[in-house]
Amino acid sequence: LQRECAVQKVCLEAAEAGLLASAHDCSDGGLAVALAECCFSSLNRSGIGAEIIAPETPLPPASELFSETPSRIIVSFPAASQAAVQELAARANCPITIIGRVGGNRLHIKLGEAEAVSVEVEELETVWRGALAKKLEAKVMAA
């Protein structure tokens, strides 16, 4: 609970200070889903890729990518804001890990040295946006 309070405090302060470009929690689908959703087009912005190297953990790859671990928020910010964001986190005793950079048209996620995901953002977004309609269509056809 203390970590969650620290994470929320830092995210709010960074947003209020205009330091963040985006923020997305990992509560629905874990790290990989949150990263993909961050890359999707939004508010008249085209989709944008990212190069991610997730910290090595003893977890199996599926757990590392899709675990809905609490108190995790992915934030993006300009390089010029990095020191200020890290200072806010340090003052709140909130862990922060830089895991990558935004850019390009693909989402690349590595777990240590192993590539786990490498897909064009447009392809990910098309599948994501059409998933519910496809599922509902399948249920209607089965009925």
Side-chain angles (χ1 to χ4, degrees), residues 2-111:
Q2 288 175 333
R3 176 170 285 178
E4 180 65 24
C5 286
V7 168
Q8 294 297 330
K9 177 183 179 189
V10 170
C11 193
L12 179 61
E13 287 179 8
E16 287 176 339
L19 299 172
L20 302 182
S22 69
H24 193 306
D25 71 309
C26 295
S27 66
D28 190 14
L31 179 67
V33 172
L35 285 166
E37 289 175 348
C38 287
C39 292
F40 297 161
S41 61
S42 162
L43 302 172
N44 298 317
R45 176 187 61 79
S46 298
I48 189 166
E51 296 277 341
I52 306 298
I53 300 175
E56 291 190 48
T57 70
L59 295 173
S63 295
E64 180 62 38
L65 292 171
F66 302 107
S67 173
E68 296 176 350
T69 308
S71 305
R72 290 192 306 169
I73 299 177
I74 298 167
V75 295
S76 67
F77 45 83
S81 299
Q82 182 174 334
V85 171
Q86 288 176 308
E87 174 60 29
L88 284 174
R91 281 199 313 248
N93 196 28
C94 176
I96 183 171
T97 304
I98 306 298
I99 62 170
R101 296 196 178 278
V102 174
N105 64 351
R106 296 181 75 81
L107 174 59
H108 293 278
I109 303 174
K110 285 186 172 185
L111 298 176

Side-chain angles (χ1 to χ4, degrees), residues 11 30 34 41 60 68 87 92 110 112 119 123 134 136-137 139:
C11 193
S41 61
E68 296 176 350
E87 174 60 29
K110 285 186 172 185
V119 182
E123 181 181 343
K134 191 171 186 174
L136 291 175
E137 182 179 300
K139 286 191 177 209

